[in-house]
Amino acid sequence: MRLLASLYEDADLPDAVVTPSGSLSRHALLEEASRVADRIEGAPIIAVEATPDLPTVVAVTGALLAGVPIVPIPPDAGDLEREHILRDSGAAGLLSGGHLAELPVARKPLNAALVLYTSGTTGAPKGVVISPGAIAADLDALAAAWQWTAGDTLVHGLPLYHVHGLVLGVLGPLRLGCRLIHTGRPTPQAYATNPGSMYFGVPTVWSRIAGDPAAARALAPARLLVSGSAPLPVPVFDDLAALTGRAPVERYGMTETLITVSARADGERRAGHVGRPLPGVTTRLVDESGAPLPSDGETIGHLQVRGPTLLDGYLSPGGVRPPELTGGWFPTGDVATVGPDGWHRIVGRASTDLIKTGGYRVGAGEVEDTLLLHPAVREAAVVGMPHPDLGEQITAFVVAGPVAPADLIDFVAGRLAVHKRPRAVHLVDSLPRNAMGKVQKSLLLAD
Ligand code: MCA
Ligand code: AMP
């Protein structure tokens, strides 16, 4: 079955994709996307300016029809991040608002659907190469888990350059044939005024909706309220359940693995837990040496996953570098417990250097490297401080000459994507270091 199966159905679907700037029927989308496909046919990889609106949906659909891999660019990416993604991916062109700009650099043809740039603990973001087969397997497993059908209307306002908003939130409806309403931004007001059967959000979105009881109550007719990308606080789970009459469905995943664990539409929802592995996916816990640990609901271990939804690899100058798997197992970098009933609880990240803020994954190293480019900055350490709205707040401790914290915040916002900016900068005389000279981030987190 083709990845975007519903596009080939004879029956048209009016308002198949609705956005604040316009809407398209299924047939109109196929027609417009086919024109894009004709223009980019044969390109090794194409960048798409991933604004949260219709041209992005058309561009992504067109590239998939042409079999050309897509690298989405965050629309608010500053110069450093934009140049890195364009250069590293070797994109042959940039599709932006329906226009195609040719780019000088290009690479050998790549057999993939998407290349998504995501942060590691250090260095610049890496391009995760995702195959059409992995996406199809993931969407079909989610369709089974969530009873997601062509009869649904999905509403969300998530960014279109990550797995959550793009793979689940756009390719899902186009594969399964359901209507999509993209609200532009994921505000409580926008969710409340757009009727749907399923709503997707990151915990920050759900926390803001729970804080706006009238908006939350407006979602009561929906079938599924789905939360993912970061831990959903138990009080937000409880408030949503009380206000809407529906406990949220939580699911867990990563850019590298797509969604692998979820609660089921027809099953239990358990606060603080992310459910059971999707059909076709297996998981296990291991200790530091890689030895398997028991699924007793108490033992905390490193979570590994295996299955058809894993990445092909990381983009490298010569092609695609396969991930380091042990017996097919991908190390997620998350620590978790698994109950005898298969229910997973994500305890946190193994490394403090990968921050989750508003559902975005941000590497501390990338923000530190950028701060160090400022002429006044001598040393920088970045941590994710617990935060009621964002989950974690990017917080920088900086040793610097005379400079205002606000200037450093703007400096980062102008070079990386805006959401990677520190929201707080503390100017300090020195950073706490151990005998080896390594910054002791646990002491900064305890401040
Ligand atoms: C503020 N702004 C600035 C500055 N300060 N601009 C420039 N310089 C500054 N110093 C502006 C921004 O441009 C923006 O303007 C506005 O302030 C607010 O931006 P932001 O900080 O992003 O807003 P927020 O309110 O904190 O956003 C919360 C959010 C957002 C909407 C929940 O965090 C979000 O969309 N999160 C979704 C992340 C996501 O999709 N993750 C999925 C990863 P303007 O408003 O005009 O734009 S995929 C994944 O994790 C896996 C696979 C999974 O499991 O799903
Ligand atoms: P990303 O690469 O942006 O897709 O981020 C993936 C990471 O987000 C995972 O490794 C987890 O740390 C976190 N994550 C995703 N979904 C959940 C969830 N439901 N609960 C807790 N953490 C999550």
Side-chain angles (χ1 to χ4, degrees):
M1 185 164 85
R2 287 152 147 168
L3 179 56
L4 305 183
S6 81
L7 290 180
Y8 302 94
E9 283 170 22
D10 289 338
D12 200 3
L13 175 68
D15 290 336
V17 181
V18 178
T19 72
S21 62
S23 58
L24 285 175
S25 74
R26 175 182 292 161
H27 287 173
L29 172 60
L30 181 59
E31 209 176 295
E32 286 207 18
S34 301
R35 278 201 288 270
V36 171
D38 290 343
R39 284 160 70 197
I40 61 172
E41 191 90 56
I45 177 166
I46 283 284
V48 172
E49 185 80 32
T51 51
D53 57 19
L54 215 43
T56 301
V57 177
V58 172
V60 167
T61 307
L64 289 172
L65 293 180
V68 174
I70 302 140
V71 56
I73 312 282
D76 67 346
D79 48 8
L80 258 176
E81 182 154 355
R82 180 174 293 268
E83 279 163 27
H84 167 69
I85 298 177
L86 289 175
R87 191 171 3 90
D88 189 79
S89 67
L94 172 65
L95 277 167
S96 172
H99 303 284
L100 175 64
E102 309 237 340
L103 297 171
V105 279
R107 61 163 57 238
K108 283 192 290 204
L110 187 70
N111 188 12
L114 292 176
V115 177
L116 299 183
Y117 274 77
T118 193
S119 301
T121 51
T122 57
K126 288 181 289 188
V128 176
V129 179
I130 302 171
S131 70
I135 294 173
D138 205 48
L139 293 174
D140 292 351
L142 288 172
W146 296 345
Q147 301 177 350
W148 183 3
T149 70
D152 280 303
T153 296
L154 170 65
V155 180
H156 74 91
L158 295 166
L160 299 185
Y161 48 91
H162 283 310
V163 166
H164 199 163
L166 183 60
V167 175
L168 274 60
V170 173
L171 305 186
L174 299 184
R175 180 168 179 81
L176 303 170
C178 84
R179 285 177 74 233
L180 165 64
I181 302 179
H182 194 284
T183 62
R185 301 264 313 171
T187 60
Q189 184 63 18
Y191 279 36
T193 51
N194 282 289
S197 61
M198 298 170 69
Y199 290 78
F200 288 173
V202 297
T204 301
V205 169
W206 291 122
S207 157
R208 292 177 185 182
I209 289 173
D212 182 344
R217 282 192 203 99
L219 306 185
R223 192 171 71 75
L224 286 187
L225 310 179
V226 185
S227 179
S229 305
L232 184 69
V234 171
V236 176
F237 179 105
D238 290 341
D239 288 351
L240 274 180
L243 287 164
T244 66
R246 266 176 228 308
V249 164
E250 290 182 66
R251 93 295 176 291
Y252 159 85
M254 287 187 83
T255 306
E256 290 89 335
T257 66
L258 306 183
I259 307 310
T260 48
V261 179
S262 181
R264 303 298 195 263
D266 61 357
E268 191 193 344
R269 324 265 160 94
R270 203 181 288 176
H273 293 70
V274 295
R276 292 178 289 117
L278 290 175
V281 172
T282 42
T283 67
R284 67 174 188 179
L285 296 178
V286 297
D287 67 14
E288 297 291 338
S289 71
L293 291 169
S295 297
D296 56 12
E298 285 174 13
T299 306
I300 295 175
H302 295 268
L303 182 65
Q304 300 191 330
V305 301
R306 192 165 69 173
T309 65
L310 263 49
L311 74 167
D312 281 358
Y314 298 97
L315 206 58
S316 73
V320 179
R321 179 170 53 80
E324 282 170 26
L325 306 179
T326 325
W329 294 103
F330 180 85
T332 63
D334 290 305
V335 287
T337 65
V338 180
D341 56 3
W343 274 75
H344 287 50
R345 182 169 70 88
I346 306 299
V347 175
R349 296 282 318 170
S351 166
T352 53
D353 282 337
L354 219 45
I355 299 167
K356 264 277 158 161
T357 180
Y360 288 113
R361 166 169 152 188
V362 181
E366 189 187 3
V367 182
E368 288 160 0
D369 291 349
T370 307
L371 284 166
L372 287 168
L373 294 176
H374 191 284
V377 174
R378 291 195 292 276
E379 295 173 56
V382 167
V383 294
M385 287 286 186
H387 189 270
D389 177 51
L390 297 167
E392 292 179 330
Q393 182 193 54
I394 302 178
T395 303
F397 292 82
V398 173
V399 180
V403 63
D407 289 345
L408 294 180
I409 294 172
D410 289 346
F411 185 81
V412 177
R415 279 159 185 80
L416 305 179
V418 169
H419 64 261
K420 294 182 176 175
R421 72 188 186 280
R423 306 233 181 176
V425 172
H426 302 294
L427 297 171
V428 292
D429 293 335
S430 63
L431 296 174
R433 293 182 185 273
N434 65 15
M436 309 291 289
K438 192 174 177 314
V439 176
Q440 292 175 293
K441 292 200 171 175
S442 55
L443 295 180
L444 296 175
L445 281 164
D447 267 4

